[in-house]
Amino acid sequence: MRTPRDRGVPGAGGTSTINDVARLAGVSIKTVSRVMNNEPNVRPETRDKVQEAATLLHYRPNLLARSLAGARSFLIGLFYDNPNAAYITDMQRGVITRAREQGYHLLIEPQDSHAPDLVSKISSLLATIRLDGVILTPPLCDMAVVLHAIEAAGVPYVRVSPFLNPGRSPCVRMDETQAAYEMTRHLIAMGHKDIGFIRGHPEHGGSHQRYEGFVRALRESQIEPRPEWVKQGYFSYESGVEAGRALFAEKTRPTAVFSSNDYMAFGVMASAQQVGIRIPEDVSITGFDDVPGAMLVWPHVTTIRQPVEALAYAAADILLTRQEGEEGECAPQAPDRLLPFALIERQSVRKA
Protein backbone atom coordinates (compact mmCIF):
# COMPACT_ATOMS: atom_id res chain seq x y z
CA MET A 1 0.00 0.00 0.00
CA ARG A 2 1.35 3.42 -0.91
CA THR A 3 1.95 5.77 1.99
CA PRO A 4 0.79 9.41 2.08
CA ARG A 5 4.43 10.42 1.39
CA ASP A 6 4.47 8.18 -1.73
CA ARG A 7 1.32 9.87 -2.98
CA GLY A 8 2.77 13.33 -2.43
CA VAL A 9 0.14 14.17 0.14
CA PRO A 10 0.73 17.63 1.67
CA GLY A 11 1.77 17.37 5.31
CA ALA A 12 2.76 13.73 5.08
CA GLY A 13 6.42 14.52 5.56
CA GLY A 14 6.00 16.77 8.60
CA THR A 15 3.39 18.07 10.99
CA SER A 16 -0.04 17.67 9.43
CA THR A 17 -2.70 20.35 9.63
CA ILE A 18 -6.46 20.38 9.37
CA ASN A 19 -6.06 21.73 5.83
CA ASP A 20 -4.07 18.60 4.86
CA VAL A 21 -6.78 16.33 6.25
CA ALA A 22 -9.50 18.25 4.41
CA ARG A 23 -7.63 18.03 1.09
CA LEU A 24 -6.94 14.30 1.44
CA ALA A 25 -10.54 13.52 2.45
CA GLY A 26 -12.00 15.83 -0.16
CA VAL A 27 -14.14 17.75 2.32
CA SER A 28 -14.24 21.20 3.86
CA ILE A 29 -12.20 22.29 6.87
CA LYS A 30 -15.48 22.79 8.76
CA THR A 31 -16.42 19.15 8.13
CA VAL A 32 -13.05 17.96 9.46
CA SER A 33 -13.56 20.13 12.54
CA ARG A 34 -17.01 18.65 13.15
CA VAL A 35 -15.67 15.12 12.88
CA MET A 36 -12.72 15.83 15.18
CA ASN A 37 -15.11 17.35 17.73
CA ASN A 38 -17.48 14.35 17.55
CA GLU A 39 -20.33 16.60 16.51
CA PRO A 40 -23.58 15.06 15.23
CA ASN A 41 -25.14 15.36 11.76
CA VAL A 42 -22.12 14.13 9.79
CA ARG A 43 -22.81 11.32 7.34
CA PRO A 44 -21.13 8.03 8.37
CA GLU A 45 -19.28 7.70 5.06
CA THR A 46 -17.96 11.26 5.36
CA ARG A 47 -16.89 10.67 8.97
CA ASP A 48 -15.06 7.50 7.90
CA LYS A 49 -13.18 9.35 5.10
CA VAL A 50 -12.07 12.10 7.47
CA GLN A 51 -10.96 9.67 10.16
CA GLU A 52 -9.04 7.59 7.61
CA ALA A 53 -7.27 10.71 6.30
CA ALA A 54 -6.43 11.85 9.84
CA THR A 55 -5.00 8.41 10.61
CA LEU A 56 -2.89 8.31 7.46
CA LEU A 57 -1.51 11.77 8.18
CA HIS A 58 -1.03 11.10 11.92
CA TYR A 59 -3.10 14.23 12.51
CA ARG A 60 -3.89 15.23 16.09
CA PRO A 61 -6.15 18.23 16.75
CA ASN A 62 -4.54 21.07 18.68
CA LEU A 63 -6.48 21.61 21.91
CA LEU A 64 -5.83 25.36 21.97
CA ALA A 65 -6.86 25.76 18.35
CA ARG A 66 -10.04 23.76 18.95
CA SER A 67 -10.87 25.93 21.93
CA LEU A 68 -10.26 29.20 20.10
CA ALA A 69 -12.33 28.04 17.14
CA GLY A 70 -15.51 27.54 19.12
CA ALA A 71 -17.33 28.00 22.38
CA ARG A 72 -15.85 24.90 23.99
CA SER A 73 -12.57 24.52 25.87
CA PHE A 74 -12.62 20.69 25.78
CA LEU A 75 -11.74 20.73 29.48
CA ILE A 76 -13.81 19.43 32.37
CA GLY A 77 -12.86 19.87 36.01
CA LEU A 78 -12.92 17.45 38.93
CA PHE A 79 -13.14 19.24 42.29
CA TYR A 80 -12.69 17.10 45.40
CA ASP A 81 -11.72 17.09 49.07
CA ASN A 82 -11.31 13.46 50.06
CA PRO A 83 -8.38 11.78 51.85
CA ASN A 84 -9.25 8.37 50.37
CA ALA A 85 -6.57 7.81 47.73
CA ALA A 86 -8.32 4.77 46.20
CA TYR A 87 -11.56 6.74 45.80
CA ILE A 88 -9.83 9.63 44.04
CA THR A 89 -7.83 7.31 41.78
CA ASP A 90 -10.97 5.48 40.66
CA MET A 91 -12.80 8.78 40.23
CA GLN A 92 -10.05 10.16 37.98
CA ARG A 93 -9.88 6.94 35.96
CA GLY A 94 -13.62 6.94 35.28
CA VAL A 95 -13.75 10.59 34.22
CA ILE A 96 -10.66 10.33 32.02
CA THR A 97 -11.99 7.22 30.26
CA ARG A 98 -15.20 9.01 29.26
CA ALA A 99 -13.46 12.30 28.46
CA ARG A 100 -11.02 10.66 26.04
CA GLU A 101 -13.88 9.09 24.12
CA GLN A 102 -15.08 12.62 23.35
CA GLY A 103 -11.69 14.27 22.84
CA TYR A 104 -11.79 16.09 26.18
CA HIS A 105 -9.20 16.51 28.90
CA LEU A 106 -9.49 16.54 32.68
CA LEU A 107 -8.39 19.29 35.06
CA ILE A 108 -7.96 17.90 38.58
CA GLU A 109 -8.40 20.43 41.39
CA PRO A 110 -8.13 19.27 45.02
CA GLN A 111 -9.82 21.68 47.43
CA ASP A 112 -9.84 22.24 51.18
CA SER A 113 -13.48 22.41 52.19
CA HIS A 114 -12.51 24.19 55.43
CA ALA A 115 -10.35 26.87 53.80
CA PRO A 116 -11.70 30.39 54.39
CA ASP A 117 -10.88 31.31 50.78
CA LEU A 118 -12.49 28.20 49.25
CA VAL A 119 -15.16 30.12 47.35
CA SER A 120 -12.79 32.82 46.10
CA LYS A 121 -10.36 30.15 44.88
CA ILE A 122 -13.07 28.32 42.95
CA SER A 123 -14.49 31.56 41.52
CA SER A 124 -11.02 32.70 40.44
CA LEU A 125 -10.30 29.33 38.84
CA LEU A 126 -13.55 29.39 36.87
CA ALA A 127 -12.88 32.96 35.74
CA THR A 128 -9.33 32.11 34.63
CA ILE A 129 -9.82 28.71 33.00
CA ARG A 130 -12.83 28.17 30.76
CA LEU A 131 -14.25 24.79 31.77
CA ASP A 132 -17.03 23.07 29.87
CA GLY A 133 -18.25 21.46 33.08
CA VAL A 134 -17.35 20.49 36.63
CA ILE A 135 -17.77 17.27 38.62
CA LEU A 136 -18.12 17.60 42.39
CA THR A 137 -17.59 14.87 44.98
CA PRO A 138 -18.50 14.83 48.70
CA PRO A 139 -18.38 16.98 50.74
CA LEU A 140 -18.06 19.77 48.14
CA CYS A 141 -21.19 18.56 46.35
CA ASP A 142 -23.28 19.42 49.41
CA MET A 143 -21.79 22.86 50.11
CA ALA A 144 -24.27 25.57 49.07
CA VAL A 145 -21.54 28.22 48.76
CA VAL A 146 -19.62 26.05 46.29
CA LEU A 147 -22.72 25.35 44.20
CA HIS A 148 -23.59 29.04 44.15
CA ALA A 149 -20.09 30.00 42.96
CA ILE A 150 -20.24 27.52 40.08
CA GLU A 151 -23.77 28.57 39.13
CA ALA A 152 -22.73 32.24 39.21
CA ALA A 153 -19.96 31.42 36.74
CA GLY A 154 -22.48 29.77 34.42
CA VAL A 155 -20.63 26.46 34.35
CA PRO A 156 -22.62 23.20 34.14
CA TYR A 157 -21.90 20.72 36.91
CA VAL A 158 -22.75 17.20 38.01
CA ARG A 159 -22.62 15.99 41.61
CA VAL A 160 -21.49 12.56 42.74
CA SER A 161 -23.46 11.12 45.69
CA PRO A 162 -25.04 14.33 46.99
CA PHE A 163 -27.01 14.23 50.24
CA LEU A 164 -28.64 17.68 50.24
CA ASN A 165 -30.86 19.29 47.60
CA PRO A 166 -30.77 16.35 45.17
CA GLY A 167 -32.88 18.17 42.58
CA ARG A 168 -30.56 21.17 42.31
CA SER A 169 -28.38 19.62 39.61
CA PRO A 170 -27.88 16.36 37.75
CA CYS A 171 -26.28 13.73 39.95
CA VAL A 172 -25.01 10.16 39.95
CA ARG A 173 -25.16 7.96 43.02
CA MET A 174 -25.67 4.52 44.48
CA ASP A 175 -28.20 3.76 47.21
CA GLU A 176 -25.93 3.95 50.25
CA THR A 177 -28.80 3.50 52.70
CA GLN A 178 -29.89 0.28 51.03
CA ALA A 179 -26.31 -0.95 50.82
CA ALA A 180 -25.79 -0.49 54.57
CA TYR A 181 -29.18 -2.07 55.20
CA GLU A 182 -28.20 -5.17 53.22
CA MET A 183 -24.84 -5.48 54.95
CA THR A 184 -26.53 -5.31 58.35
CA ARG A 185 -29.11 -7.88 57.25
CA HIS A 186 -26.23 -10.11 56.18
CA LEU A 187 -24.70 -9.93 59.67
CA ILE A 188 -28.07 -10.65 61.26
CA ALA A 189 -28.52 -13.63 58.93
CA MET A 190 -25.15 -14.91 60.15
CA GLY A 191 -26.57 -14.96 63.68
CA HIS A 192 -25.23 -11.62 64.94
CA LYS A 193 -27.51 -9.55 67.15
CA ASP A 194 -24.86 -7.60 69.04
CA ILE A 195 -23.54 -5.35 66.28
CA GLY A 196 -21.38 -2.27 66.65
CA PHE A 197 -21.11 0.53 64.10
CA ILE A 198 -18.36 3.02 63.20
CA ARG A 199 -19.86 6.16 61.70
CA GLY A 200 -18.17 8.04 58.87
CA HIS A 201 -17.16 11.68 58.65
CA PRO A 202 -20.15 13.80 59.73
CA GLU A 203 -19.59 16.25 56.88
CA HIS A 204 -20.17 13.53 54.28
CA GLY A 205 -23.80 12.81 53.50
CA GLY A 206 -23.06 9.15 52.85
CA SER A 207 -22.14 8.74 56.53
CA HIS A 208 -25.68 9.57 57.58
CA GLN A 209 -27.22 7.38 54.89
CA ARG A 210 -25.12 4.38 55.91
CA TYR A 211 -26.05 4.78 59.56
CA GLU A 212 -29.71 5.10 58.58
CA GLY A 213 -29.55 1.78 56.72
CA PHE A 214 -27.83 0.13 59.67
CA VAL A 215 -30.48 1.28 62.14
CA ARG A 216 -33.36 0.36 59.85
CA ALA A 217 -32.11 -3.21 59.42
CA LEU A 218 -31.65 -3.65 63.17
CA ARG A 219 -35.09 -2.34 64.06
CA GLU A 220 -36.78 -4.48 61.43
CA SER A 221 -35.34 -7.43 63.35
CA GLN A 222 -36.50 -6.00 66.71
CA ILE A 223 -32.93 -5.07 67.66
CA GLU A 224 -32.24 -1.66 69.14
CA PRO A 225 -28.85 -0.10 68.36
CA ARG A 226 -26.81 0.31 71.53
CA PRO A 227 -25.34 3.84 71.80
CA GLU A 228 -22.18 2.57 73.51
CA TRP A 229 -21.47 0.40 70.45
CA VAL A 230 -21.80 3.29 67.98
CA LYS A 231 -18.51 5.19 67.65
CA GLN A 232 -17.62 8.24 65.60
CA GLY A 233 -15.03 7.86 62.87
CA TYR A 234 -13.74 10.12 60.09
CA PHE A 235 -13.18 7.73 57.17
CA SER A 236 -9.51 7.33 58.12
CA TYR A 237 -7.46 4.37 59.35
CA GLU A 238 -6.47 6.31 62.48
CA SER A 239 -10.05 7.08 63.41
CA GLY A 240 -10.87 3.38 62.96
CA VAL A 241 -8.10 2.41 65.38
CA GLU A 242 -9.36 4.93 67.94
CA ALA A 243 -12.98 3.85 67.54
CA GLY A 244 -12.00 0.18 67.81
CA ARG A 245 -10.06 0.76 71.02
CA ALA A 246 -13.03 2.55 72.56
CA LEU A 247 -15.41 -0.16 71.40
CA PHE A 248 -13.34 -3.07 72.69
CA ALA A 249 -12.82 -1.32 76.02
CA GLU A 250 -16.55 -1.60 76.79
CA LYS A 251 -17.60 -4.07 79.50
CA THR A 252 -19.54 -6.05 76.93
CA ARG A 253 -18.36 -6.26 73.33
CA PRO A 254 -20.35 -6.75 70.12
CA THR A 255 -19.89 -9.94 68.12
CA ALA A 256 -19.71 -7.95 64.88
CA VAL A 257 -18.61 -4.44 63.87
CA PHE A 258 -19.80 -2.68 60.72
CA SER A 259 -17.41 0.13 59.71
CA SER A 260 -18.66 2.85 57.37
CA ASN A 261 -15.63 2.45 55.12
CA ASP A 262 -12.81 -0.01 54.59
CA TYR A 263 -10.03 2.15 55.98
CA MET A 264 -11.82 2.39 59.31
CA ALA A 265 -12.43 -1.36 59.18
CA PHE A 266 -8.66 -1.86 58.83
CA GLY A 267 -8.18 0.31 61.91
CA VAL A 268 -10.76 -1.66 63.89
CA MET A 269 -9.02 -4.90 62.89
CA ALA A 270 -5.68 -3.52 64.09
CA SER A 271 -7.11 -2.44 67.44
CA ALA A 272 -8.72 -5.87 67.90
CA GLN A 273 -5.49 -7.70 67.17
CA GLN A 274 -3.56 -5.46 69.57
CA VAL A 275 -5.66 -6.77 72.49
CA GLY A 276 -5.78 -10.39 71.35
CA ILE A 277 -9.26 -10.36 69.82
CA ARG A 278 -9.37 -12.79 66.90
CA ILE A 279 -11.08 -12.03 63.59
CA PRO A 280 -13.51 -13.56 62.78
CA GLU A 281 -13.46 -16.10 65.66
CA ASP A 282 -14.15 -13.50 68.36
CA VAL A 283 -15.55 -10.64 66.31
CA SER A 284 -16.68 -10.27 62.70
CA ILE A 285 -15.75 -7.04 60.91
CA THR A 286 -17.16 -5.53 57.74
CA GLY A 287 -16.39 -2.43 55.72
CA PHE A 288 -17.74 -0.34 52.87
CA ASP A 289 -16.25 0.68 49.47
CA ASP A 290 -14.13 -2.38 48.54
CA VAL A 291 -10.80 -0.57 48.21
CA PRO A 292 -7.80 -2.67 47.04
CA GLY A 293 -6.58 -3.01 50.64
CA ALA A 294 -9.61 -5.13 51.49
CA MET A 295 -7.83 -7.99 49.72
CA LEU A 296 -4.39 -7.18 51.15
CA VAL A 297 -5.19 -7.54 54.87
CA TRP A 298 -5.97 -10.85 56.51
CA PRO A 299 -8.63 -11.93 56.86
CA HIS A 300 -9.91 -10.41 53.64
CA VAL A 301 -12.69 -7.95 54.42
CA THR A 302 -16.39 -8.49 53.72
CA THR A 303 -17.55 -5.17 52.31
CA ILE A 304 -19.85 -3.22 50.00
CA ARG A 305 -18.41 -2.60 46.56
CA GLN A 306 -19.09 1.00 45.62
CA PRO A 307 -18.87 1.53 41.81
CA VAL A 308 -16.69 4.64 42.06
CA GLU A 309 -15.17 4.39 38.59
CA ALA A 310 -18.59 3.80 37.03
CA LEU A 311 -20.03 6.76 38.97
CA ALA A 312 -17.26 8.97 37.63
CA TYR A 313 -17.79 7.73 34.07
CA ALA A 314 -21.52 8.43 34.36
CA ALA A 315 -20.93 11.94 35.74
CA ALA A 316 -18.61 12.77 32.84
CA ASP A 317 -21.09 11.25 30.40
CA ILE A 318 -23.85 13.57 31.64
CA LEU A 319 -21.62 16.61 31.10
CA LEU A 320 -20.39 15.54 27.67
CA THR A 321 -23.81 14.43 26.43
CA ARG A 322 -25.03 17.91 27.32
CA GLN A 323 -22.21 19.39 25.23
CA GLU A 324 -23.36 17.45 22.18
CA GLY A 325 -26.35 19.78 21.80
CA GLU A 326 -26.09 22.71 19.45
CA GLU A 327 -24.20 25.69 20.86
CA GLY A 328 -26.52 28.17 22.52
CA GLU A 329 -29.26 25.59 22.94
CA CYS A 330 -30.75 25.41 26.41
CA ALA A 331 -30.37 21.73 27.25
CA PRO A 332 -32.85 20.16 29.68
CA GLN A 333 -31.48 18.84 32.95
CA ALA A 334 -30.25 15.28 32.56
CA PRO A 335 -31.98 12.62 34.66
CA ASP A 336 -30.14 11.39 37.73
CA ARG A 337 -28.41 8.03 37.44
CA LEU A 338 -28.59 5.34 40.12
CA LEU A 339 -25.86 2.71 39.86
CA PRO A 340 -25.85 -0.73 41.50
CA PHE A 341 -23.65 -1.84 44.40
CA ALA A 342 -22.57 -5.33 45.44
CA LEU A 343 -22.09 -7.05 48.79
CA ILE A 344 -18.76 -8.88 48.68
CA GLU A 345 -18.47 -11.78 51.14
CA ARG A 346 -14.98 -12.64 52.34
CA GLN A 347 -13.27 -14.16 55.37
CA SER A 348 -13.74 -11.42 58.00
CA VAL A 349 -17.25 -12.63 58.91
CA ARG A 350 -18.34 -15.92 60.42
CA LYS A 351 -21.52 -17.19 62.02
CA ALA A 352 -22.12 -16.11 65.60
Side-chain angles (χ1 to χ4, degrees):
M1 178 179 177
R2 298 180 67 197
T3 66
R5 185 191 297 271
D6 295 332
R7 300 181 205 153
V9 175
T15 301
S16 300
T17 69
I18 192 171
N19 295 322
D20 298 327
V21 176
R23 280 194 290 270
L24 182 59
V27 299
S28 68
I29 293 173
K30 176 62 176 176
T31 298
V32 175
S33 177
R34 296 184 69 186
V35 172
M36 293 296 105
N37 292 336
N38 291 311
E39 294 183 13
N41 304 321
V42 177
R43 291 195 302 271
E45 59 271 22
T46 300
R47 188 180 298 275
D48 290 343
K49 284 199 307 181
V50 171
Q51 290 174 340
E52 181 182 4
T55 298
L56 288 169
L57 293 171
H58 304 289
Y59 172 70
R60 295 292 182 272
N62 181 281
L63 181 62
L64 178 60
R66 292 169 71 197
S67 176
L68 293 174
R72 305 183 196 177
S73 67
F74 297 92
L75 288 172
I76 56 177
L78 172 63
F79 296 175
Y80 69 89
D81 179 14
N82 191 314
N84 185 332
Y87 179 90
I88 296 306
T89 298
D90 285 349
M91 186 64 56
Q92 292 177 15
R93 187 182 296 115
V95 176
I96 289 172
T97 298
R98 181 61 183 93
R100 285 178 175 171
E101 293 174 357
Q102 204 79 11
Y104 276 70
H105 295 267
L106 175 64
L107 178 70
I108 301 167
E109 284 291 329
Q111 304 290 337
D112 180 357
S113 58
H114 293 105
D117 59 348
L118 171 66
V119 173
S120 63
K121 280 186 175 180
I122 290 177
S123 298
S124 176
L125 174 67
L126 295 176
T128 304
I129 301 175
R130 181 159 54 96
L131 296 176
D132 288 336
V134 170
I135 296 170
L136 296 171
T137 67
L140 297 176
C141 65
D142 283 321
M143 298 180 67
V145 291
V146 172
L147 305 186
H148 179 73
I150 297 174
E151 290 165 356
V155 178
Y157 65 94
V158 176
R159 295 185 291 162
V160 178
S161 303
F163 179 60
L164 302 174
N165 302 312
R168 185 164 177 170
S169 72
C171 69
V172 296
R173 63 186 181 88
M174 58 165 271
D175 193 336
E176 300 190 52
T177 303
Q178 183 64 25
Y181 171 87
E182 292 188 16
M183 177 60 80
T184 309
R185 291 290 301 174
H186 172 66
L187 290 173
I188 294 170
M190 296 291 282
H192 295 280
K193 296 183 179 179
D194 299 332
I195 307 173
F197 189 82
I198 313 300
R199 302 188 68 153
H201 199 298
E203 294 180 359
H204 288 243
S207 301
H208 307 287
Q209 294 170 320
R210 295 171 195 185
Y211 181 65
E212 178 186 343
F214 167 73
V215 171
R216 177 159 61 91
L218 288 182
R219 288 179 173 162
E220 282 187 5
S221 296
Q222 288 74 52
I223 303 171
E224 276 299 312
R226 293 178 58 167
E228 69 271 24
W229 288 348
V230 176
K231 303 299 181 183
Q232 183 64 58
Y234 295 92
F235 283 149
S236 66
Y237 173 83
E238 294 79 9
S239 69
V241 171
E242 184 176 341
R245 286 173 179 166
L247 191 60
F248 298 134
E250 297 289 341
K251 291 182 179 179
T252 56
R253 297 197 303 256
T255 63
V257 179
F258 180 6
S259 296
S260 292
N261 83 341
D262 291 337
Y263 289 108
M264 294 194 301
F266 303 157
V268 173
M269 293 172 73
S271 65
Q273 292 162 353
Q274 287 169 3
V275 294
I277 297 174
R278 300 170 302 167
I279 306 163
E281 291 84 359
D282 301 324
V283 63
S284 293
I285 295 177
T286 69
F288 200 110
D289 285 337
D290 196 25
V291 301
M295 285 293 290
L296 299 178
V297 298
W298 182 259
H300 299 329
V301 179
T302 293
T303 188
I304 293 292
R305 178 172 293 162
Q306 182 174 196
V308 177
E309 188 171 338
L311 288 168
Y313 184 98
D317 185 64
I318 290 175
L319 283 178
L320 298 181
T321 300
R322 182 185 188 280
Q323 289 295 328
E324 288 181 357
E326 293 295 328
E327 293 181 6
E329 180 180 337
C330 183
Q333 179 165 311
D336 295 343
R337 300 191 190 179
L338 181 67
L339 274 62
F341 59 86
L343 195 160
I344 308 300
E345 297 184 48
R346 297 195 179 108
Q347 292 79 21
S348 66
V349 173
R350 67 177 296 177
K351 290 186 176 181

